[in-house]
Amino acid sequence: MRRIVYLDNAATTKLSKHAKNAMLPYLEDSYGNPSSVYSFAGDAKNAVEDSRKKIANAVGARPEEIFFTSGGTESDNWAIVSAAELKKEKGKHIITSAIEHPAVMSTLEHLEKKGYEVTYLNVDGYGRISLDGLRKAIRDDTILITIMTANNEIGTIMPVPEIGTVAKENNILFHTDAVQAVGHVRVDVNEMNADMVSFSGHKFGAAKGVGALYVKRGLRLPPLIYGGGQERGRRSGTENVAGIVSMGAALEDITARLPLTNVMRLRDRLIDGVLKNIPRTRLTGDPVNRLPGIASFVFEAVEGESMLLMLDQYGICASSGSACSSGSLDPSHVLLAIGLAHEEAHGSLRFSLSEDNTDGDIDLVIEKLPGIIEKLRRMSPLWNEGK
Ligand SMILES: *Cc1c(COP(=O)(O)O)cnc(C)c1O
């Protein structure tokens, strides 16, 4: 098989060996329904509860505060829609940032159509909201603040504990989409001062299609999904037992190895190598407070999609926030929000690393990318050599 250099771990990760081994029995012999009463099903039920404990442990929560879902998207939808429903008597104003994931953005657009009002806080050039701006946006009818822990395109880590403190002082619910942070940096729900925190297994080595929502004890968040009453009536549907087991195993395993110093070292090698070898290139996102695995750039006068196709010829998998990748012609809302012009935003490229990457992977990108950019620039009408 052709060598694949996988640098798109913010899109999804490989199932870790640890997670795979843990989940296999639940794909084979232990297939009982956790809700059944006979002892054969007890094994599945215990496995689900064991995973809940591991996840709670990893993020400083109590097991009864962890609810399993089908992934980050469902967790975001549930937190936002149900918090809006719960607090609608108090008001219909929600505050978020301009750089949230579509799972949050589209949910808020849905609520806007139902009469809720949303304030989208601007971010600075690094993708950070200002706490002052947040305080000023708060109104008497503000019921929810939803701001991500770390951005998936540019890797910026938000000042979440401080945001949570502002929310608490003003008696406003605080949800954070921590999908890119959990399993990558240390996450503690108490330090975050959060009422709800979204997770997704496949972003840290677990199976796809499983996630969780932390719901702080005492918050009676209504369900989004109704049915047989699983997850103590809050999220019905027969549990994805194998997926849930993989998530507990993956998170326990990786949490023990945080901080991911080798991933950070490789990321910094990649950033240095790209900036040093390719002129008229910028790093996007916060240079200091950034996710350990994300190296994101914009290259003048090149188009993201073309870079991806040329990298693909060397087996290098990366991602671009530019046109087409999402089937739309608009550049990423994140890149526009950090102040890039449309043309600049089209030249974006994101590499996202995992513990599986090696120095050899980084060497290959640093070796091949300058030539790719040079070739594309020579063909570009936007490229002005002498500038
Ligand atoms: C991937 C991602 C999601 C969606 O998670 P899924 O499990 O794929 O539904 C939400 N938010 C962020 C920041 C993400 O990176």
Side-chain angles (χ1 to χ4, degrees):
M1 207 172 96
R2 184 167 78 126
R3 175 179 172 200
I4 290 295
V5 173
Y6 188 75
L7 292 165
D8 201 16
N9 288 279
T12 195
T13 59
K14 181 180 174 179
L15 183 67
S16 79
K17 282 220 167 61
H18 196 77
K20 180 180 159 190
N21 290 334
M23 80 190 287
L24 274 178
Y26 301 93
L27 293 168
E28 291 172 342
D29 300 327
S30 292
Y31 53 80
N33 185 324
S35 297
S36 302
V37 293
Y38 37 79
S39 52
F40 170 62
D43 193 22
K45 180 163 179 50
N46 291 340
V48 168
E49 294 317 314
D50 189 45
S51 178
R52 200 186 308 280
K53 279 188 203 127
K54 286 178 180 170
I55 289 165
N57 246 336
V59 299
R62 302 182 182 91
E64 64 273 19
E65 294 173 318
I66 300 295
F67 295 87
F68 293 116
T69 67
S70 66
T73 301
E74 184 189 325
S75 296
D76 287 342
N77 272 259
W78 179 19
I80 294 168
V81 169
S82 292
E85 171 67 26
L86 184 70
K87 296 289 178 188
K88 66 174 189 265
E89 303 306 329
K90 182 190 169 196
K92 292 193 159 188
H93 180 237
I94 300 171
I95 300 173
T96 189
S97 84
I99 63 167
E100 297 298 308
H101 188 275
V104 168
M105 284 294 187
S106 303
T107 304
L108 291 171
E109 282 161 24
H110 163 74
L111 288 177
E112 283 177 311
K113 287 187 198 121
K114 303 195 127 210
Y116 288 83
E117 226 185 301
V118 180
T119 297
Y120 298 87
L121 295 176
N122 286 329
V123 294
D124 64 15
Y126 287 163
R128 300 171 305 198
I129 63 136
S130 106
L131 292 169
D132 245 12
L134 171 64
R135 284 194 201 92
K136 289 198 180 101
I138 291 174
R139 319 190 312 208
D140 289 343
D141 61 341
T142 307
I143 51 170
L144 172 68
I145 295 171
T146 173
I147 292 177
M148 67 201 326
T149 307
N151 184 269
N152 47 300
E153 290 187 38
I154 57 175
T156 299
I157 297 175
M158 289 282 191
V160 163
E162 292 80 4
I163 296 169
T165 303
V166 172
K168 210 184 221 171
E169 284 166 1
N170 290 278
N171 195 22
I172 297 167
L173 289 177
F174 175 44
H175 164 250
T176 184
D177 173 340
V179 169
Q180 289 290 339
V182 173
H184 297 263
V185 292
R186 218 173 57 81
V187 166
D188 183 299
V189 294
N190 300 303
E191 282 173 18
M192 285 173 143
N193 291 311
D195 298 291
M196 295 163 283
V197 182
S198 299
F199 310 44
S200 176
H202 76 105
K203 302 292 175 78
F204 55 79
K208 292 168 184 55
V210 63
L213 183 67
Y214 158 81
V215 181
K216 195 183 170 84
R217 192 163 72 167
L219 173 59
R220 294 297 309 168
L221 197 67
L224 183 69
I225 294 181
Y226 295 87
Q230 289 89 347
E231 298 294 284
R232 282 162 292 131
R234 307 264 212 120
R235 200 285 187 180
S236 289
T238 301
E239 297 85 346
N240 174 0
V241 178
I244 288 169
V245 169
S246 78
M247 188 161 69
L251 191 57
E252 179 183 60
D253 179 48
I254 200 158
T255 299
R257 289 195 303 281
L258 297 179
L260 302 177
T261 44
N262 193 47
V263 175
M264 287 189 263
R265 182 185 67 80
L266 292 175
R267 172 202 64 189
D268 292 342
R269 265 201 66 207
L270 178 56
I271 292 174
D272 290 345
V274 167
L275 295 180
K276 208 169 285 164
N277 292 295
I278 308 175
R280 284 145 81 173
T281 298
R282 281 167 55 189
L283 178 73
T284 56
D286 192 319
V288 180
N289 288 316
R290 68 188 292 124
L291 288 169
I294 294 200
S296 51
F297 307 93
V298 281
F299 302 92
E300 205 181 305
V302 264
E303 208 271 305
E305 215 65 12
S306 323
M307 285 188 268
L308 295 184
L309 294 175
M310 291 183 74
L311 286 167
D312 187 38
Q313 292 176 356
Y314 301 106
I316 299 168
C317 308
S319 161
S320 165
S322 81
C324 309
S325 54
S326 55
S328 114
L329 281 173
D330 300 325
S332 139
H333 67 288
V334 175
L335 300 174
L336 297 180
I338 60 171
L340 298 183
H342 275 246
E343 321 80 80
E344 292 177 294
H346 278 300
S348 71
L349 191 61
R350 177 192 72 190
F351 298 103
S352 43
L353 287 66
S354 79
E355 290 183 296
D356 288 340
N357 290 118
T358 62
D359 278 284
D361 295 345
I362 304 307
D363 292 339
L364 186 72
V365 176
I366 297 174
E367 182 196 324
K368 300 297 181 194
L369 191 59
I372 291 175
I373 302 287
E374 206 186 307
K375 190 167 168 188
L376 290 171
R377 280 177 172 167
R378 261 189 270 119
M379 301 187 303
S380 166
L382 297 172
W383 182 243
N384 169 2
E385 194 75 54
K387 192 173 129 188

